[in-house]
Amino acid sequence: MAEATTTQASGAASTSAAPGGSPAAGAPGAAGDRPVKIIGIVCNWCSYAGADTAGVGRFKQPANIRLVRVPCTGRIDPLFALKAFEKGADGVLISGCHPGDCHYSEGNYYARRKFELLERMIHHLGIPKERFKWTWVSASEGQRWQKVVTEFVAGVEKLGPREGRAL
Amino acid sequence: MRIGVFVCHCGSNIAGTVDVAGVAKRALSLKDVVHAENIMYTCAEPGQAAIQKAIQDKKLDRVIVAACSPHMHEMTFRRCVDNGGLNPYLFEMANIREHCSWIHTDMPVATDKAWDIIKMAVAKARQLEPLWANEVEVNKDVLVIGGGVAGIQAALDLADAGLKVTIVERETTIGGVMAKLDKTFPTIDCSACILTPRMVDCAQHENIDLMAYCEVDKVSGYVGNFTVDIRKKAAMVDWVKCIGCEICVQKCPSKAPDIFNVGLEPTKAIYIPFPQAVPKRAAIQVDYCRYFTQGKCRVCERVCPAGAIDYEQKEEIVQKRFGAIVVATGLDVFPWEERYHEYGSGKIKDVISGLQYERMLNASGPYGGHVHRISNGEDPKTVVFIQCVGSRDESVGRPYCSSVCCMYTAKQALLTKDHCGMDTEVYVFYIDIRATGKGYEEFIKRVQTEFGVKYVRGRVSKLYEENGKVMVRGSDTLLGEQVEIAADLVVLASGITSSPGAVELAQKLNISYDEFGFMKEGHPKLRPVETNTAGVFLAGACQAPKDIPATVAQASGTASKVVGLLAKDKLKTSPMIAIVGQKDCVSCWKCIEVCPFSAPEKLEVRPGEFKSHVIETVCQGCGVCVANCPVNCISLKGFPTDAILDQIEEVLLV
């Protein structure tokens, strides 16, 4: 029973956007000129909130990142990053609280061990290490978030979209 | 499964950059989505009513709201769907404002991203399960960290409400910065007359336990059940015996820096900060004590009529339990000597900070209220005030306004005329005058007109000594000319910085702070006195520079929030916690090893057979155990692995 209704429609938005015809939805298989697509996995308390702060401050960023929110970077299995690459992500960004600032005291230390290791061995899987980044952005660091995203996207763009989607 | 998607315009905040009607329409193409609509203001009453109506009419079992950040309105919408008859944890938010419309300008690009974000939310929602909150017993005692005016106000309000309060103050007396002030703006009330009776109230209140000369060492636990280690510093004086007679201070032969008087004059190695101190107890600064540095003296021990001196006293740790914590650690004065070398780096004697001048003006200060030149003791004929020293100055890394300096400078300028005579020349160099409080602008006008204080708009570029005067060289940007004034005394309106140790304390409490060490509120408007850590609240200048009226108002606001929290006998805890699939548990106890909260325990499932079990009320839901379980038998409710992977897959699917 699918049905679209409009409550108090503002009229500000047009309904003419062409479904599926969006620029970022290129096929990873057919790399070419499509925009790169990056998966960001961020902790709820620092980096997700830092991205919020960037939004509130209207700090413009490239639109290539899609964020997955988790409570803590300590909850992130390195497999999540590999899964993203397997499914065709052109880059993976992981960001949490600065050391000492973890909402859960020490979750980010467990994350640090794992991602330090993943960063060092990821090229063995045929993925250049420039496609993977882990960092810290606090809830008040809107500008830092903007910088991290802008620089990481630029780096991945330099490599271009990945050919093929398998690892 | 029947999913409803509600796309918010947020006025033009989202609709200005994202084609909300388009994505709403498109959402219907997603599997399981049976209803989609775009709403002008989803969080407003008609918006919430539309969601509730759709839950009923369309029998929705999952709701997605694509709007602002979950940090903004997740709780609002959880309540909304709950009231609409749906389990609140079957709700998911798609952040297409902060993470999309506000950071992109191109409509097709932003619309495409919003579409992805909505798809991800739908993918996650498919994996959600209904959850029910647990209840946990609440400890009703409150810890107030910091005994300045903010801590005092919060503590008294809480104690009057019937809660047991412990104030932890790291100095030997409560009172904070306000106790150092002479008068308060804009009324020229005596600061001590307002504060000291409140300090006494704290000491005498049956519900307040005053722990001065103590610091918070360690914090564990969670809202309703914090365990705090408090370190009682060694004063080398038995405070039970000490009667505060000050004989030891008078007889002590060793000098030591006087922190309370901002270094104007030395105090003694054994000291009581000021006559109205609460508690009025002596303490020894061992680094300056002749006995501790040279091994002999013991004068204080000989003269003490109470036999209170105890050179063997040791620090001790006291463990206490609390239900809520109020952080009221206040502020410090910007260390201008380190950064303003053009103002003499603190080497010109007659250049002092605003807080030092406050002590000079104060009748109970080191000079009995006699305003004079530090260099020669003469009365000053020309006094120059310089504003924004360590505020609004990016060259010293302080871009923010300290919010009080315009007003305290005006007050000090007025008091200068009052102390030294109306014929004293008083100049104030300023950038802008910020007098936004009640009666503030009128006060500035009065200082300028009635008291004839000369305001010069411009910065001072250099201070230097010449012929026994302090030469003030600056510019008058209104007249467009250079000015040079030969001053007898220069007072710098040194700005506010965060209290030393604020960052370390924030880390102990797991609360956020900004680059300047000010603690971060939950939301500037929605949760201004809460932090993002449940049960930890803020009061006063630890959050941002503010004046006394704003501090007291915030402290009372904080107290009412704490009362609200602790009015309940049981607290609902988040059900988004870890759960062990015991069938697959291999009893490796990795989860017990990594959990920051000791939530997992060994549970005897059959005689002699132990499996991991997460104590529901202890688990905080970080998910560290989930990511570390080698057999993947732990799941985090609300953030199941499948939901995370499905979100990733959804966005990469072509």
Side-chain angles (χ1 to χ4, degrees), chain B residues 237 248-249 252 254 267-272 282-285 300 309:
Chain B
V237 176
C248 55
V249 182
C252 173
S254 311
T267 181
K268 297 292 184 60
I270 188 163
Y271 70 105
I272 290 175
I284 296 176
Q285 298 193 47
C300 47
I309 309 295

Side-chain angles (χ1 to χ4, degrees), chain B residues 166 172 176 465 519 539 587:
Chain B
T166 297
T172 60
E465 287 176 290
M519 301 187 187
S587 314

Side-chain angles (χ1 to χ4, degrees), chain B residues 24-330:
Chain B
K25 203 170 175 183
R26 227 174 131 190
L28 288 169
S29 67
L30 293 170
K31 183 172 160 273
D32 300 325
V33 175
V34 296
H35 177 87
E37 63 180 293
N38 50 308
I39 299 177
M40 187 65 175
Y41 290 106
T42 317
C43 59
E45 202 269 333
Q48 296 199 32
I51 294 173
Q52 290 166 343
K53 185 172 184 298
I55 291 171
Q56 292 301 323
D57 292 355
K58 302 284 176 66
K59 302 195 165 34
L60 300 181
D61 57 10
R62 301 285 187 282
V63 167
I64 313 291
V65 171
C68 51
S69 168
H71 288 269
M72 183 92 183
H73 278 318
E74 189 173 57
M75 289 311 291
T76 309
F77 290 117
R78 282 209 203 284
R79 271 197 303 274
C80 165
V81 299
D82 196 11
N83 292 335
L86 185 68
N87 183 286
Y89 296 92
L90 296 176
F91 164 80
E92 182 60 26
M93 208 149 177
N95 182 350
I96 59 168
R97 193 179 74 168
E98 282 85 344
H99 289 189
C100 186
S101 71
W102 275 354
I103 53 170
H104 306 308
T105 42
D106 185 63
M107 196 170 216
V109 170
T111 303
D112 186 67
K113 183 171 172 183
W115 170 238
D116 273 358
I117 294 171
I118 291 168
K119 278 198 301 183
M120 291 166 81
V122 171
K124 181 178 177 186
R126 289 197 195 102
Q127 299 290 348
L128 295 178
E129 289 174 0
L131 302 174
W132 289 270
N134 284 300
E135 286 192 328
V136 53
E137 297 279 345
V138 173
N139 181 316
K140 301 216 174 191
D141 295 353
V142 185
L143 169 65
V144 175
I145 306 172
V149 65
I152 289 170
Q153 181 71 28
L156 286 173
D157 281 2
L158 290 163
D160 286 344
L163 298 169
K164 296 278 182 203
V165 181
T166 297
I167 301 177
V168 169
E169 165 60 52
R170 72 173 161 201
E171 303 297 337
T172 60
T173 173
I174 56 169
V177 174
M178 188 177 171
K180 302 179 184 184
L181 306 182
D182 180 41
K183 302 285 191 290
T184 58
F185 59 77
T187 48
I188 315 293
D189 277 333
C190 154
S191 181
C193 308
I194 301 168
L195 187 68
T196 48
R198 307 286 282 161
M199 290 161 63
V200 176
D201 287 348
C202 282
Q204 294 181 351
H205 205 296
E206 56 175 5
N207 285 341
I208 296 181
D209 178 13
L210 192 54
M211 297 183 73
Y213 214 44
C214 291
E215 287 194 44
V216 169
D217 214 45
K218 210 174 112 194
V219 182
S220 59
Y222 50 91
V223 58
N225 294 279
F226 291 107
T227 303
V228 181
D229 287 358
I230 299 166
R231 187 159 43 89
K232 287 178 98 163
K233 297 190 274 193
M236 305 303 166
V237 176
D238 182 344
W239 280 14
V240 178
K241 292 179 184 164
C242 176
I243 52 172
C245 66
E246 295 190 63
I247 294 175
C248 55
V249 182
Q250 289 156 17
K251 300 293 180 191
C252 173
S254 311
K255 285 181 176 173
D258 189 347
I259 295 160
F260 189 80
N261 284 317
V262 210
L264 276 183
E265 292 292 326
T267 181
K268 297 292 184 60
I270 188 163
Y271 70 105
I272 290 175
F274 64 113
Q276 302 100 318
V278 172
K280 195 177 180 188
R281 296 287 182 267
I284 296 176
Q285 298 193 47
V286 292
D287 293 345
Y288 300 93
C289 170
R290 192 171 289 181
Y291 174 67
F292 281 99
T293 54
Q294 296 169 22
K296 53 185 174 186
C297 176
R298 299 179 86 114
V299 166
C300 47
E301 189 182 48
R302 281 203 301 280
V303 299
C304 178
I309 309 295
D310 176 7
Y311 298 115
E312 305 300 318
Q313 200 175 60
K314 295 274 179 296
E315 280 189 354
E316 55 176 307
I317 302 282
V318 183
Q319 196 170 73
K320 289 192 153 212
R321 298 177 74 87
F322 302 99
I325 298 174
V326 176
V327 185
T329 48

Side-chain angles (χ1 to χ4, degrees), chain B residues 473-529:
Chain B
R473 187 185 290 169
S475 56
D476 185 330
T477 54
L478 290 179
L479 292 176
E481 41 185 55
Q482 295 293 309
V483 286
E484 197 158 67
I485 298 165
D488 297 312
L489 189 62
V490 175
V491 181
L492 306 177
S494 30
I496 287 178
T497 184
S498 58
S499 183
V503 168
E504 292 76 6
L505 180 67
Q507 291 181 341
K508 284 175 192 165
L509 293 163
N510 298 329
I511 60 176
S512 302
Y513 52 91
D514 69 16
E515 61 190 298
F516 308 109
F518 293 113
M519 301 187 187
K520 196 163 160 43
E521 67 285 345
H523 185 279
K525 289 153 189 92
L526 294 171
R527 305 173 70 233
V529 302

